[in-house]
Amino acid sequence: MECAAKGSPRRCSGPANRRCGGCGAVFYCSVSHQTSHWRVHKEECGRLKQQMCRVVLLNDFPFTFSREATYQVCGKVETRCSFLDKQGIHCVGFWICECSCGASITSSDHLRYDKGWNLSSKLCPCKGPLSMLTKKLSSWNEYYEWRGIPLDSPVALLLHWPLTIYQAIQIASVKQLIPEPTDELCIHYLGPEREVYQLAVFGELHALLPGVRVHIDFVGPAIPHDRDGETITLCSYAHCIEANCTCKSGTSNKSSSITIKLHSGLYHNRYTQLTKEFIPDLIIAPNAGIAAYKSWLPTIELIREIEIPTIFSDYCEEACHLAANCISSATGSPPTIPVQLNPFRQPLAVEDSALILPCYSNCFLFGI
């Protein structure tokens, strides 16, 4: 852990082993640093203490590997690399970006969207569901049961992307911000990073939104310039590793369509061009980090002006709280969709978090 007072005029005197007795969420290198930092920390100490009380809930997943992926990764007993290696998916296919080993991948080969699960057909949703959804999904347990996937399958580590889109649509629909999806839905998806290397997993939207023509504009600076304007059509589900599986038959899903178009740059700079083709029904910004990046300010101002419902996610509750403060300052009013735990957050903890609080990709949702 880093000292919470790192960056102050007085240099750190050693490792940050001194834990705040109030919240238990931050550490310090010395008594002097803890004392000097109190004028800053006192504003957040009580709030972080409340968030620490919800750690058990954050780490609550139904999978057979849950303890290794949560408590043991947070406690540095496991690393993301060692966990993925035990699952047999370390540095293969579109799993390569799920640990630090793939952090520098930029080759065009890894931008290909036709990579498969590298798992057997029993462990992944490589074909359509056996039955239509009869009720809205509200947990990983329900999703796995519906798709007939055993709870030792790691596919949730990537399916949190399309399932978070599904959850954002449900939230916006319940709030009557968008109509129930009928036959067409356009989404502006802001700030994609790893998703660019994992596009095939978005084929699961065929199952989640049957009969709907879904168009998603991926917009962000992480989109390579040479892919700007490229359109990807996902006709089927991501494939399993079995050569003779029927998922290799080439049969496309005719009841729905999923297209993704890539746009390099910041949203507020690309919006006018984007809307020449499609007006969005919904904006989704995964792991937004609004408080961490000043470039969000003109985008927030644009969203306020165009009045398109927008769902943000972030890695932890504290990041969402700070983001809500930024939105309130920029727009003059707080988020209209309160911070809430995402049931489809990624069930693999983020390593080296600045807080002792567990962090997960797409962990909490809120919106305007």
Side-chain angles (χ1 to χ4, degrees), residues 43 83 94-95 127 131 156 163 168-169 230 242 257 275 285 289-290 326 363:
E43 301 294 332
F83 172 78
F94 46 40
W95 299 96
K127 299 180 286 292
S131 62
L163 267 293
I169 292 169
E230 181 176 341
E242 298 167 14
S257 67
T275 51
I290 290 173
C326 293
C363 192

Side-chain angles (χ1 to χ4, degrees), residues 23-43:
C23 64
V26 298
F27 286 78
Y28 295 94
C29 65
S30 63
V31 174
S32 61
H33 257 189
Q34 184 174 5
T35 302
S36 64
H37 191 250
W38 176 245
R39 61 185 178 82
V40 175
H41 182 56
K42 66 182 179 181
E43 301 294 332

Side-chain angles (χ1 to χ4, degrees), residues 16-327:
N17 296 325
R18 185 178 181 84
R19 192 171 186 172
C20 173
C23 64
V26 298
F27 286 78
Y28 295 94
C29 65
S30 63
V31 174
S32 61
H33 257 189
Q34 184 174 5
T35 302
S36 64
H37 191 250
W38 176 245
R39 61 185 178 82
V40 175
H41 182 56
K42 66 182 179 181
E43 301 294 332
E44 64 184 10
C45 189
R47 185 174 68 247
L48 292 176
K49 182 179 181 179
Q50 291 180 339
Q51 293 175 21
M52 286 293 289
C53 291
R54 294 188 277 273
V55 165
V56 173
L57 179 61
L58 290 183
N59 291 334
D60 184 21
F61 294 99
F63 308 108
T64 58
F65 54 78
S66 294
R67 184 162 186 82
E68 298 99 301
T70 59
Y71 290 101
Q72 292 188 5
V73 171
C74 289
K76 300 186 184 300
V77 176
E78 287 272 10
T79 64
R80 288 175 73 101
C81 288
S82 66
F83 172 78
L84 294 169
D85 190 53
K86 288 178 181 178
Q87 302 295 318
I89 50 176
H90 182 234
C91 285
V92 295
F94 46 40
W95 299 96
I96 196 166
C97 295
E98 291 306 310
C99 65
S100 58
C101 297
S104 61
I105 293 297
T106 57
S107 72
S108 59
D109 178 61
H110 285 94
L111 281 168
R112 290 174 58 83
Y113 58 87
D114 58 354
K115 291 184 180 296
W117 286 109
N118 286 90
L119 295 168
S120 71
S121 60
K122 293 181 180 180
L123 294 177
C124 64
C126 61
K127 299 180 286 292
L130 296 176
S131 62
M132 298 289 287
L133 276 174
T134 57
K135 65 175 183 177
K136 295 197 169 35
L137 298 169
S138 60
S139 69
W140 278 122
N141 215 10
E142 290 180 1
Y143 170 78
Y144 267 55
E145 183 178 354
W146 169 57
R147 290 300 257 133
I149 306 170
L151 290 173
D152 60 345
S153 167
V155 292
L157 272 61
L158 299 185
L159 286 172
H160 73 103
W161 298 122
L163 267 293
T164 293
I165 290 178
Y166 171 83
Q167 183 67 10
I169 292 169
Q170 303 312 312
I171 291 172
S173 296
V174 167
K175 292 282 187 179
Q176 297 183 331
L177 299 173
I178 60 171
E180 287 281 349
T182 51
D183 58 354
E184 195 165 2
L185 184 66
C186 177
I187 296 170
H188 285 180
Y189 189 97
L190 313 190
E193 294 180 343
R194 297 200 308 271
E195 305 97 304
V196 178
Y197 304 88
Q198 301 166 336
L199 293 176
V201 302
F202 290 88
E204 186 61 12
L205 292 171
H206 283 298
L208 295 165
L209 302 171
V212 182
R213 296 190 302 275
V214 182
H215 176 79
I216 308 176
D217 283 303
F218 274 31
V219 192
I223 303 290
H225 292 293
D226 62 348
R227 304 294 295 274
D228 185 40
E230 181 176 341
T231 299
I232 299 98
T233 301
L234 300 176
C235 298
S236 60
Y237 302 92
H239 294 168
C240 69
I241 202 170
E242 298 167 14
N244 297 323
C245 180
T246 56
C247 71
K248 310 293 194 306
S249 65
T251 303
S252 62
N253 193 313
K254 296 180 180 179
S255 67
S256 58
S257 67
I258 311 295
T259 59
I260 297 174
K261 191 169 184 178
L262 308 180
H263 307 270
S264 180
L266 298 172
Y267 186 61
H268 52 273
N269 292 332
R270 299 300 305 265
Y271 177 76
T272 301
Q273 182 183 359
L274 287 171
T275 51
K276 288 180 180 178
E277 191 171 0
F278 294 102
I279 300 295
D281 299 292
L282 180 66
I283 299 170
I284 299 175
N287 301 321
I290 290 173
Y293 301 101
K294 293 181 179 179
S295 58
W296 268 111
L297 179 58
T299 292
I300 296 297
E301 292 174 341
L302 172 64
I303 291 171
R304 178 185 61 173
E305 180 183 338
I306 62 178
E307 298 184 327
I308 301 295
T310 304
I311 306 293
F312 303 94
S313 79
D314 223 316
Y315 290 99
C316 68
E317 191 173 357
E318 181 63 10
C320 294
H321 171 82
L322 298 174
N325 287 344
C326 293
I327 289 172

